[in-house]
Amino acid sequence: MAERLKTVFGHLDPTGLISCVPTVSTGGVVPDVSTNFLYTLDNSVLSYEQRKFYEDNGYLVIRNLVSKEKLDKYRDEFEKICRKEVEVPNLIIMRDVAIARSEFVPGQQAITKIQSFENDEVLFSYCALPEVIKYVQAFTGRTVKAMHTMLINKPPDPGKKSSRHPLHQDLHYFPFRPANRVVCSWTAMEKVNRENGCLVVLPGTHKGELLQHDYPEWEGGVNRMYHGVRDFDPNAPRVHLPMEAGDTVFFHPLLIHGSGMNRTKGFRKSISCHYASGEIEFIDVKGSIQGSLEKEVIETYAKKLIARGIDPSQVSMKDLWMYKARDVSLPEDK
């Protein structure tokens, strides 16, 4: 089915982007054999202190990694998408039902997130940035696949706290393993702090297992697919991550994290990509702790599948993510 999705939705790389993006060598990334490191690999980018911090905490912030010029380019493209000046095949657009005011288009609900922008040349160029990939390889190894893409446009909270994102583990959404060879890069497109809803993490929780997720029982409601983790220690230490534009945090898919309300009057933007080793294994989640999620994920893509003559009941999460995966390895490592 994954192969049929590729055929029906179009070529994996319709823009020719991946083959033409400039890349840099990290000097080689090989499995570490001299220490007890589990979550990072030998590389020429991370210092010993940085590797140790990630091993202990499950995240690492790199300051000023992505330039303002590139962030402005992504912001402009997002605005064009909101104004419907650009249409991106298979893009998932999410809105907050509690937000009446659109940022760019009067009379429309605000777009709070776009996902699966692998077919947008401008936005996907973020996922193949050499300055990002050289860090990613420290977690995934030489071969790298871009698995999941998002631009988050956290809106001003309407008073119902719906702009919050519940604490969760990203692996909940992913049908591929092993978790230790998966990493997210999350780049602030502007200054983020506790006022506009910066990320909050529970350090060290990446060492645990994938936990049960459900919709939180919040009085003001919760947005679609905003699942929250159950049965975690509510007294566990939490660390907020204020960041400047261009700062990038890399974190493990089992790290429990979320974000608070946006108490300002402006929209808070970030762009992110989840990466995995080219040697990952795609799994069937039916009957697992992720089983209930699969139905909701397929429903999200149902209209696009039906429009192309594909019966959604014959598609699995595994099929979708096999289709979405894009190789962003260095040319010599493909």
Side-chain angles (χ1 to χ4, degrees), residues 133-150:
I133 296 297
K134 70 180 183 180
Y135 280 97
V136 169
Q137 287 185 310
F139 309 103
T140 65
R142 288 180 180 273
T143 57
V144 184
K145 288 185 179 292
M147 304 299 298
H148 184 57
T149 57
M150 293 191 298

Side-chain angles (χ1 to χ4, degrees), residues 112-159:
T112 56
K113 183 190 293 186
I114 57 174
Q115 297 186 156
S116 302
F117 55 68
E118 57 269 9
N119 291 319
D120 184 287
E121 180 177 355
V122 175
L123 294 179
F124 190 74
S125 66
Y126 165 80
C127 304
L129 288 177
E131 56 266 42
V132 172
I133 296 297
K134 70 180 183 180
Y135 280 97
V136 169
Q137 287 185 310
F139 309 103
T140 65
R142 288 180 180 273
T143 57
V144 184
K145 288 185 179 292
M147 304 299 298
H148 184 57
T149 57
M150 293 191 298
L151 192 152
I152 302 165
N153 190 41
K154 182 185 279 287
D157 197 87

